[in-house]
Amino acid sequence: MSRSASFLVRSEADLKVDEKSLQQWVVGFCIIRFDLEQGQLIEECYPAGCLTHNEELEVAFSSFPDSVSQNHNRSSIHDCIFFFRVRRQGNPQVAHLPSSEIVEVNKTQASQMTASDKVLKQRSKIQTGANSRYLYGFVFNRQRHDERLKRGGEQKSVVILSHNPFSSVFRPLLQIMGPLYFDIGKKALNFIASYVSMWPVPVPGQLMELPIGNATLKVNLPPAHCMPLDCGVLFEELASPIAPFLPSSQSVPQGLFHDADLFGTFRGLLMQLWKLWELLLIGEPILIIAPTPPQCCEAVAGLVSLVAPLLCSIDFRPYFTIHDPDFAHLNSLQEGAAFPPMILGVTNLFFLKSLRRIPHVLSVGNPVMNAARLPFSARASTGRIPAGPEGLSLPNLSLNRFTPSNFLNAMKLRRDGPLCLMTEHKEAFWSSYAPITKPDTSILNRLIDAGMSPRVEESMSVVNNDILRRHFLELTTNFLAPFGPYYRPTTPSEGSSPYVDPPPLPTFNAEDFLSSLSARGPGKFLLKRMKSNWLDLYRRFLKGHNFLPWFQRKRAVAEQEQYRMWRQARMRADIQHFIARMSELEIVDTFNAIERHLLGELQSTTLEAGSDATSSKLREDLQAVFHVLPKDMQQLMLMNPERAALVRDDELPSKSTR
């Protein structure tokens, strides 16, 4: 499936591309050539006009390694796959507005609404991918070395652009599309576009079968709760049940980049994973430097996946270059200015000097690894490493056990700082942050070191990734558990009226929450794995950039679910049963409440299943309550034409006729 030879190309007469359907998955495809005189040049862009001029420049600069590796033999071809994330240039109003600021604006507006009004407004503000603030580029780069060519070689990249971070889809698609392009030329763009445009609508959190030629990609999409709303996720999808707490299958995604190779990428730095988890949790800026784009991409993707199921709201750039428009801003930060919360993956050593104010620097990867055999380019979507003689030969499993030599090496690294990478690349982590979570040695001891056998390495990597991912999923879920009561929906109690507005979710106050949590503790799971100052981690999380977007989304989903449950309760309610027990004042209040719910159904901008049936039921209930009101009050209400139309016995107008 990953080779063009197994790809059955249809005749041109069969090619039909539905661009609207295509855009549900991709923004476009690009072919970019590196010209020695003119630099990066876009040879093809399909469909035409899918990018602005500035976006074309940014995509072109991001689609090539900073330099050609010097470890290749002459007269050879080397392929690699990596991905990048850049800001879209078409919506300047939101282009530089952090997620937390957008949520704050929504929070202020929402505080002035009733619970039902907020739900209706949230459902009406469904965004599409066209409003996305970021663009993801998945790159198949080919370097061809030939002494007969000028400067001894050439480079060209095939790029898939999307609003969605679906690495599990676009990596295997690139493994087909890249070689196919170099076999048949630009016709490959039309062929791939025709297949992709026939795919069903992407459903977050689901296993999808996507036909491509004579093959089928079977991929798990990341769940809706970890997808930014600007990716085009429907609000209703956020309320869908998430996967079980500990999935039985490692392929069931719990967050973004679930297929990232945690074990292979951080094998030499496993003891640092718990510190990195904390830094991601509280939204600290991290610079990741690696010898090649695939290695730094895999490291950034791995870190983002480490905090699942938390929504990662800080900016992350799997492959960041000096040509990115944001670099000028980062490079001009004044002394003492706080570095923005970002995860930057880079290969250019220049960043060690230009971004020296970034507080946490992580160095990963092996410079002698062949770029064509890197985890991101060669592994299947299940997170596997290729078998055979060309598989990875990773260093022995390192748990940084204490020895005098290890201690001296650590002190030397700390003294020299990240600038020592200018002379020699080595895996290391520079950070003054004091972690609260202790490395779980029981988890580390379960990891299997396969030694130098590539065949055993393939299967052991899957096992080790599963162990690590399950542990950090459990760690994050337990950490977030104390917030549960603040986004837990309530149902109408037995015998109570479902026509009144549901109670609001509990008000959240950070100081009250910390005080209560301090008294009762975070639970046995965390107490066993954290130091006595565990409450400080919650304080940092509350002040960080991940908390508010995640918490606001959880509250919005809870309000949506609560709205749905109370709406269903009104459908099942027997209004005559409640009328018999009501006072005159309660009857009037019930009339006003039913009228408000009915108007909400009629004015809703989204068509829900059973919406007309709900409107009819509410209108019947409204008429029933109206008929038991005193005559003088009935006459008073009939003076309002809109209200009179609701309580008359003629047929309720459908939404399509309003």
Side-chain angles (χ1 to χ4, degrees), residues 42-67:
I42 294 184
E43 292 186 340
E44 302 289 340
C45 195
Y46 180 93
C50 62
L51 300 175
T52 66
H53 176 68
N54 288 337
E55 287 174 337
E56 286 185 352
L57 292 176
E58 195 168 353
V59 166
F61 280 123
S62 301
S63 297
F64 291 92
D66 280 329
S67 61

Side-chain angles (χ1 to χ4, degrees), residues 2-113:
S2 61
R3 302 293 180 186
S4 59
S6 66
F7 184 84
L8 183 62
V9 177
R10 295 180 297 174
S11 67
E12 291 192 40
D14 296 333
L15 291 178
K16 292 181 181 179
V17 179
D18 182 342
E19 290 195 7
K20 185 176 180 180
S21 298
L22 177 68
Q23 290 172 5
Q24 294 174 341
W25 289 93
V26 302
V27 173
F29 305 118
C30 291
I31 306 298
I32 308 172
R33 175 172 58 89
F34 183 80
D35 185 271
L36 294 175
E37 280 75 33
Q38 302 179 62
Q40 292 86 345
L41 296 177
I42 294 184
E43 292 186 340
E44 302 289 340
C45 195
Y46 180 93
C50 62
L51 300 175
T52 66
H53 176 68
N54 288 337
E55 287 174 337
E56 286 185 352
L57 292 176
E58 195 168 353
V59 166
F61 280 123
S62 301
S63 297
F64 291 92
D66 280 329
S67 61
V68 179
S69 172
Q70 301 301 312
N71 297 314
H72 302 324
N73 296 322
R74 292 294 182 179
S75 301
S76 62
I77 294 176
H78 295 275
D79 301 332
C80 70
I81 292 177
F82 58 94
F83 76 109
F84 59 84
R85 181 182 193 242
V86 295
R87 293 187 192 272
R88 292 230 67 170
Q89 304 294 321
N91 196 347
Q93 285 79 13
V94 299
H96 293 279
L97 189 61
S99 300
S100 56
E101 293 180 33
I102 294 173
V103 172
E104 284 283 9
V105 172
N106 291 342
K107 182 181 177 183
T108 302
Q109 295 171 342
S111 65
Q112 303 169 359
M113 304 178 191

Side-chain angles (χ1 to χ4, degrees), residues 126-130 132 163-164 227-235 237:
I126 295 173
Q127 301 192 44
T128 64
S132 177
H163 292 125
N164 297 306
M227 295 282 290
L229 279 175
D230 64 1
C231 283
V233 176
L234 296 181
F235 191 85
E237 289 174 339

Side-chain angles (χ1 to χ4, degrees), residues 385-393 452-456 458:
I385 296 175
E390 296 178 331
L392 295 176
S393 295
M452 303 298 287
S453 169
R455 186 171 300 277
V456 178
E458 178 183 358

Side-chain angles (χ1 to χ4, degrees), residues 272 386 555 588:
Q272 304 293 340
R555 299 266 290 188
V588 173

Side-chain angles (χ1 to χ4, degrees), residues 427-440:
E427 291 189 321
F429 184 30
W430 291 272
S431 172
S432 60
Y433 178 81
I436 293 171
T437 310
K438 296 175 287 188
D440 194 322

